[in-house]
Amino acid sequence: MSKAPTIRSPKSGGDRSLDSLPPRSVDQVPSAKKSWTPPRIILWAAIALLGGVSWTMLAIVRGETVNAIWFVFAALCSYLIAYRFYSKVIQKFITKPDDTRATPAEYKADGKDFVQTDRRVLFGHHFAAIAGAGPLVGPVLAVQMGFLPGTVWIIVGVIFAGAVQDYLVLFFSTRRGGRSLGQMARDELGKVGGTAAIVASLLIMIIIIAILALVVVNALAESPWGVFSVGMTIPIALFMGVYLRFLRPGRITEVSIIGFVLLMLAIVGGGWVGETDWGVAIFTLDRTTLAWALIIYGFIAAVLPVWLLLAPRDYLSTFMKIGVIGLLAAAIVIVRPEISVPAFSKFASGETGPVVPGTLFPFLFVTIACGALSGFHALIASGTTPKLLQKERQSRFIGYGGMLMESMVAVMALVAAVTLDQGIYYAMNSSAAATGGTVEGAVAWVNSLGLTGVNLTPDQLTQTANDVGEASIVSRTGGAPTLALGLANVMHQLIGGTGMMSFWYHFAIMFEALFILTAVDAGTRVSRFQLQDTIGNIVPAFRNTSWRPGVFISTAIMVAGWGAILLMGVTDPLGGINTLFPLFGIANQLLAAIALAVCLAIIAKNNNFRWLWVVAVPLAFVAVITISASFLKIFSPVTAVGYWANHVAFRDALAAGETTLGTAQTVEAMEAVVRNTFIQGTLSIIFVTLAIIVIATAIVATVRSYRSGGGVSSEDPRVESRVFAPSGLTATAEEKEIQKQWDALPAAQRPTAGH
Amino acid sequence: MAGSIVTGTVPALAGWAGRGARSIRWYVTSLMGDRAYEIYVAHLAVEHPGEPPLSEREFWVQRYREQEATPGARCC
C-alpha cells in the first residue's frame, strides 16, 4: 500500500460525495439470494446431529460415567446453531442494523476513546472485559445439584437470555452515542426508574466486590504459597508500571510477557517459600488478617495513579485470561476426563445442600449467574465497547458471540469441577462450621450426607492436599480452590504429571486472584466516582475528581462499604460464602433484569410488539428468579434459607438465655449471626424493592408505548458512514467483493478507516 | 509472499509461517493496546493536520490521566 500524499478529511464534502464511494453496507448491493446448497445443509445437519447426540449422552444415557467431551460438543453445537439462527432472527426483526449509518467510533472519532477497532480485536477486548471470576465460580458451586441442571442452564440461559441481553444493550447503546446503562435507564424509564437503576447498580457493585474479595480471602487463607505468589503480583505490577512510564512507554505486549515470566517465577518461588520455616511463619495468614490486608490494599490501589498498579495488572490479567482459557479448552479436549458425578444429586430435588442453601428453583439460576446471564456485562456493552465498534452489524458477533464464549468458559469451569471426586468436592465446599475444619470432621460430615457412591477417606484428603502443596483442603469454600483443583486435575494429565499438580493449582489460584483484584480495584474506582457525583449535588467540591480530600473520603466510604460485608463474611459463624453467595447472584441477576427492562422499553418504543417476546420472556424469567429468590431469603421459615428466620431464631435463643445454637458455639457468635442476618436480610429487601420499581416502570413505559403506537426514539441523529468493514469473524464472499472495491479506491479518495 | 515468487514447498511454508507470525503479532499488539499511539498519530494527521502530535511518552502520561478520570468497570 502506498502512502497517501494527502488524505481528504471525511468531514469535508457533503452527502453527494457518498455516491463516489463503493457500497458501505452489504444491504446496498442486490444480494444473490443465499441458497441452502447441499454442502451447507449437510454441515448444519451434522452440527445438529452431533449436538443432539451429545445432549443425549449427557441427559438421557445413564452410564457409570460420562465423558467430558460431550459437554464440549453439546455446548459448541448449541452455540453454533443459536448464533447462526437465533441471533440472526434478532438481527433481522429487532436490531435491524444499518451499516450505512456511522457508529460513534466513526462520527465521534477522537483517536483515543472513540476509535474504529477491527472487529476481531474488539471481540478480544470485549471478551476480556466481560470474563472474570464470576463464570468460573458460580458453576463450581452449582455442581452441588449434579452436573445436568447447571449445564442446561448455562447453555440454554446464554442462548435465550445472556447473549440476547449483551447483544441488545451493545446495539442500543451504539445507536445512542455509547451512552451508559444508567443514562439509558433514565431516558427510557423516566426519573424514578432511572434513579432506582442507578442506586441499584451502586449497591450491586459493593456487594459484588465484597463477595469476590471473600472468594480471594478464602482461597489464600492458611496458604503461605498462595499468599506469597499472589502478593508478588503487587511488586510485579509496580515494576511493569514503572517500566511503561519511564523506560519504554507503549510497549505493552513486551512488558506483559516480562510480567508473565515473573509471575511464573513467583508461583514456583511460592512453592519454595511455602516449604521454609520463615515462609510459613510470615505468609500463613488467617482469614481476618487477609480480609484487612485486602481492605487496606483496595483503598491504596484505588487512590494510586492508574499507570502504577491498575493498568499493568489489567494487562497481565488480559494476557493470562486468554491464555489460560485456551489452555483449559485444549486440555479438556485432549485429556477427555471421565466424570462420575451424578446428573442430578439429591440436593437437586428440594433438599438443602451444604454448598449453597436452597432448592433448585430459583437458587440454581441465582448461583450460576455470570456464565448464563450477567447483568454486569450490560455495563461493558454500554459505554465501553460501543465507542470502539466499527459497524452496527458487528454488534451481533461481538455482543452475542462474545457472551457465547463466556458461557463456554463457564461450561469448562463446570467440567473441571465435576472431574473431582464427589467426596473431595463436598469436603472442600462445606463450611468450616459443618466440617470443623479438620480432616476427621470433614470425613465424618461428608460421609453423613448420604450421597450415593461417596466414601471419603482421610487419606484422600491429606494426599490431595499434599499433591497441591497446601496444608489442608478442608472447607476451602468460595469455588476458587475447587476450580483450581479441578484445573490442576485436568492439566497435570496433559503437562507435567502429578509432580506438576501443585504448580497448576497455584497457577489457577493466581489467575483467579488477578481477575478479582482487578475487579476490586476497578469496581472501587467506578463506585467512588458515582458516589462523588452524588455527593457533588450537595457539596459541589466533590464533583472535582482530582480534589484529593474528596477522592480520599469517597474511596474510604466505598471501601468501608464492601470491607464491612467482607469482614462479615469472613467471621460469619455460619460459614460466609454459603450465606453470602446468593446475594451476589441475586444482585447480578437483578442488574440483568434492569438491562433487559431497558431493552424492553426501547423495543416497545420502536413499536415492535410482534418481537417483544424475545426480551419479555427472559425478563419475565429473570424477574421471577430474582424476586422469588429474594422473597425466599426474606420470608422463608427454613433457617438455612431465610435470613430473617435465622435472625429471629438466634435473637429468640439469646433472649431465652441460651449460649449455643447450631454451629454458633458462643454468645458472641450468636450475636454475630443476629447482626449478619439483619444486614443480609435488609440488603435483600432493598434489592427486591429496587428490582420491582425498575421492572414496574419498564412495564408502564411499554404499555404507554403500546397505547400510543410507539414513542419518540432516544437514538442519536443519523450520520452517514463513510467506511466499510465485514461483520462476522470471517468475511463473506459478498463482503470480500465489496472490500475489493474499497481497496481499489485511489488512496486520496479513501476516507480514513481507523486502523 | 515468498511462495508466489519461488515455487517450492519450503519457501511457501516459510512465507505462510511468516504471514502467520505477523498476523499473530498484529492481533496481540492490537488487543493489548501497543498500537494506541500509532492510532492517535494517524488520527491527528487526518483530522487535525498541522497540529503537532504529543510525544509517545506524553501521550501515555495523558492517556493514563484520562483513564483515571473515567474509570471503566471490569467484570466479575
Side-chain angles (χ1 to χ4, degrees):
Chain A
M1 263 186 269
S2 59
K3 205 139 184 110
T6 53
I7 306 175
R8 206 168 42 117
S9 160
K11 276 181 185 159
S12 65
D15 272 1
R16 229 176 330 130
S17 65
L18 290 168
D19 299 339
S20 63
L21 292 176
R24 295 158 294 150
S25 161
V26 285
D27 294 330
Q28 286 178 303
V29 290
S31 66
K33 187 83 187 124
K34 246 199 190 164
S35 58
W36 279 91
T37 54
R40 195 169 287 162
I41 294 172
I42 293 170
L43 175 71
W44 284 101
I47 291 172
L49 193 69
L50 178 60
V53 169
S54 309
W55 276 114
T56 310
M57 295 301 292
L58 290 182
I60 297 166
V61 176
R62 285 275 180 278
E64 286 276 290
T65 60
V66 55
N67 196 290
I69 201 77
W70 297 118
F71 288 85
V72 176
F73 283 142
L76 272 182
C77 296
S78 307
Y79 297 154
L80 284 172
I81 292 170
Y83 183 70
R84 170 62 186 77
F85 297 96
Y86 191 54
S87 75
K88 275 207 171 170
V89 167
I90 299 174
Q91 172 172 280
K92 189 167 175 191
F93 297 106
I94 296 180
T95 55
K96 300 173 192 156
D98 176 2
D99 274 354
T100 63
R101 197 173 169 154
T103 59
E106 186 180 350
Y107 66 80
K108 285 191 184 173
D110 64 359
K112 288 179 196 158
D113 295 323
F114 291 86
V115 176
Q116 292 181 51
T117 306
D118 182 278
R119 64 199 185 282
R120 294 155 298 189
V121 173
L122 185 56
F123 183 90
H125 260 295
H126 182 74
F127 176 71
I130 64 173
L136 299 173
V137 169
V140 170
L141 302 180
V143 164
Q144 145 175 276
M145 296 174 187
F147 70 73
L148 199 55
T151 309
V152 171
W153 173 240
I154 291 171
I155 296 173
V156 174
V158 77
I159 290 172
F160 292 104
V164 175
Q165 174 212 265
D166 288 21
Y167 176 26
L168 290 179
V169 170
L170 172 57
F171 183 82
F172 291 144
S173 172
T174 303
R175 275 275 168 99
R176 286 159 182 75
R179 249 169 273 164
S180 71
L181 181 69
Q183 290 167 305
M184 289 202 288
R186 199 167 277 230
D187 291 345
E188 306 301 333
L189 308 179
K191 212 167 178 193
V192 175
T195 309
I198 290 169
V199 172
S201 64
L202 192 63
L203 273 178
I204 288 166
M205 193 81 87
I206 293 176
I207 194 91
I208 284 177
I209 297 173
I211 290 161
L212 286 176
L214 182 58
V215 169
V216 175
V217 167
N218 279 355
L220 297 183
E222 316 293 341
S223 166
W225 185 339
V227 169
F228 175 81
S229 48
V230 173
M232 282 304 285
T233 62
I234 300 171
I236 292 174
L238 293 176
F239 163 75
M240 289 169 65
V242 169
Y243 186 96
L244 277 176
R245 181 86 166 188
F246 301 108
L247 301 176
R248 286 167 68 79
R251 302 292 187 282
I252 297 170
T253 304
E254 178 183 299
V255 82
S256 302
I257 293 170
I258 297 173
F260 176 77
V261 171
L262 292 174
L263 216 55
M264 294 302 104
L265 290 177
I267 298 174
V268 175
W272 297 330
V273 171
E275 278 175 14
T276 60
D277 291 336
W278 60 270
V280 173
I282 297 173
F283 295 111
T284 308
L285 302 176
D286 62 35
R287 277 165 224 251
T288 313
T289 315
L290 270 171
W292 277 108
L294 203 59
I295 290 167
I296 295 166
Y297 168 83
F299 178 82
I300 296 174
V303 296
L304 278 182
V306 284
W307 63 266
L308 192 54
L309 190 59
L310 176 81
R313 204 191 30 229
D314 206 17
Y315 299 141
L316 214 48
S317 94
T318 303
F319 207 76
M320 290 278 276
K321 202 172 288 182
I322 311 275
V324 173
I325 288 165
L327 205 64
L328 182 59
I332 289 173
V333 172
I334 298 169
V335 176
R336 294 191 303 279
E338 285 291 330
I339 285 154
S340 54
V341 171
F344 294 94
S345 80
K346 62 186 275 195
F347 303 123
S349 47
E351 232 179 295
T352 279
V355 183
V356 270
T359 45
L360 190 145
F361 185 89
F363 289 104
L364 169 76
F365 309 98
V366 166
T367 306
I368 287 189
C370 299
L373 169 64
S374 176
F376 239 66
H377 297 181
L379 301 182
I380 313 284
S382 65
T384 314
T385 305
K387 294 177 182 161
L388 304 170
L389 189 73
Q390 201 175 9
K391 293 268 102 184
E392 288 190 349
R393 250 171 203 281
Q394 294 170 349
S395 53
R396 183 174 73 98
F397 169 55
I398 289 159
Y400 200 95
M403 182 60 197
L404 290 181
M405 180 105 152
E406 160 126 337
S407 173
M408 189 72 220
V409 173
V411 169
M412 291 191 307
L414 186 139
V415 169
V418 292
T419 60
L420 297 179
D421 177 84
Q422 280 292 277
I424 291 178
Y425 172 84
Y426 284 103
M428 289 182 85
N429 286 294
S430 300
S431 75
T435 62
T438 61
V439 170
E440 296 72 32
V443 169
W445 162 256
V446 171
N447 290 337
S448 76
L449 288 171
L451 298 155
T452 40
V454 171
N455 185 22
L456 190 64
T457 63
D459 266 3
Q460 266 177 295
L461 288 177
T462 44
Q463 182 58 41
T464 311
N466 239 338
D467 285 344
V468 297
E470 288 290 285
S472 161
I473 55 162
V474 172
S475 293
R476 306 306 298 268
T477 55
T482 312
L483 177 76
L485 184 61
L487 190 131
N489 196 20
V490 177
M491 289 305 300
H492 88 275
Q493 298 177 51
L494 184 71
I495 305 170
T498 322
M500 281 279 276
M501 249 186 107
S502 53
F503 174 83
W504 287 121
Y505 175 87
H506 288 279
F507 179 79
I509 292 283
M510 159 77 89
F511 97 106
E512 286 177 284
L514 262 184
F515 291 181
I516 293 178
L517 290 179
T518 309
V520 165
D521 185 349
T524 306
R525 281 173 191 273
V526 171
S527 50
R528 176 234 293 172
F529 266 73
Q530 285 179 343
L531 184 70
Q532 275 187 276
D533 208 43
T534 314
I535 302 180
N537 290 326
I538 307 153
V539 189
F542 273 83
R543 278 269 164 79
N544 177 3
T545 50
S546 48
W547 183 55
R548 298 312 284 174
V551 168
F552 277 67
I553 293 168
S554 40
T555 305
I557 294 173
M558 289 335 277
V559 172
W562 62 256
I565 299 172
L566 170 63
L567 283 170
M568 178 176 92
V570 165
T571 54
D572 188 12
L574 302 180
I577 205 87
N578 57 354
T579 47
L580 278 172
F581 201 79
L583 262 187
F584 170 90
I586 290 172
N588 195 352
Q589 300 299 291
L590 167 60
L591 198 52
I594 293 173
L596 286 167
V598 171
C599 294
L600 182 87
I602 290 176
I603 296 171
K605 239 186 196 177
N606 293 345
N607 202 17
N608 189 357
F609 288 92
R610 201 171 156 229
W611 293 94
L612 198 65
W613 61 267
V614 169
V615 175
V617 171
L619 173 60
F621 189 76
V622 74
V624 169
I625 320 172
T626 28
I627 294 173
S628 64
S630 302
F631 274 42
L632 283 170
K633 283 286 167 203
I634 298 166
F635 297 116
S636 171
V638 182
T639 50
V641 176
Y643 290 135
W644 293 107
N646 230 349
H647 177 78
V648 171
F650 275 83
R651 203 188 52 199
D652 291 351
L654 277 174
E658 287 172 43
T659 53
T660 64
L661 181 62
T663 48
Q665 298 297 329
T666 60
V667 172
E668 282 103 70
M670 290 170 68
E671 282 165 355
V673 174
V674 171
R675 202 168 49 239
N676 294 355
T677 48
F678 176 79
I679 296 168
Q680 292 153 354
T682 309
L683 282 170
S684 293
I685 294 174
I686 296 172
F687 280 160
V688 78
T689 311
L690 290 170
I692 292 171
I693 292 174
V694 174
I695 294 168
T697 51
I699 292 171
V700 168
T702 305
V703 170
R704 200 185 305 130
S705 299
Y706 184 75
R707 289 215 179 118
S708 54
V712 183
S713 168
S714 48
E715 283 180 8
D716 279 3
R718 177 194 174 88
V719 179
E720 287 296 333
S721 172
R722 312 180 58 87
V723 294
F724 171 77
S727 52
L729 176 62
T730 53
T732 62
E734 236 171 1
E735 289 170 341
K736 278 184 188 149
E737 189 50 48
I738 298 174
Q739 188 65 53
K740 233 184 256 167
Q741 294 178 38
W742 281 88
D743 291 342
L745 211 61
Q749 280 182 35
R750 208 177 294 160
T752 49
H755 67 297
Chain B
M1 276 176 207
S4 58
I5 303 159
V6 190
T7 48
T9 327
V10 174
L13 271 181
W16 183 80
R19 272 197 301 279
R22 269 197 300 280
S23 308
I24 292 172
R25 191 190 153 85
W26 168 81
Y27 189 80
V28 173
T29 52
S30 303
L31 183 65
M32 299 301 296
D34 295 52
R35 304 184 59 238
Y37 181 66
E38 218 176 287
I39 292 163
Y40 153 79
V41 171
H43 170 85
L44 212 62
V46 173
E47 293 287 310
H48 313 281
E51 200 175 296
L54 298 171
S55 75
E56 183 158 14
R57 199 171 287 261
E58 288 163 356
F59 169 79
W60 282 104
V61 168
Q62 205 193 64
R63 194 174 163 82
Y64 286 126
R65 201 181 297 141
E66 285 167 4
Q67 202 181 328
E68 211 154 298
T70 49
R74 276 283 166 186
C75 225
C76 42

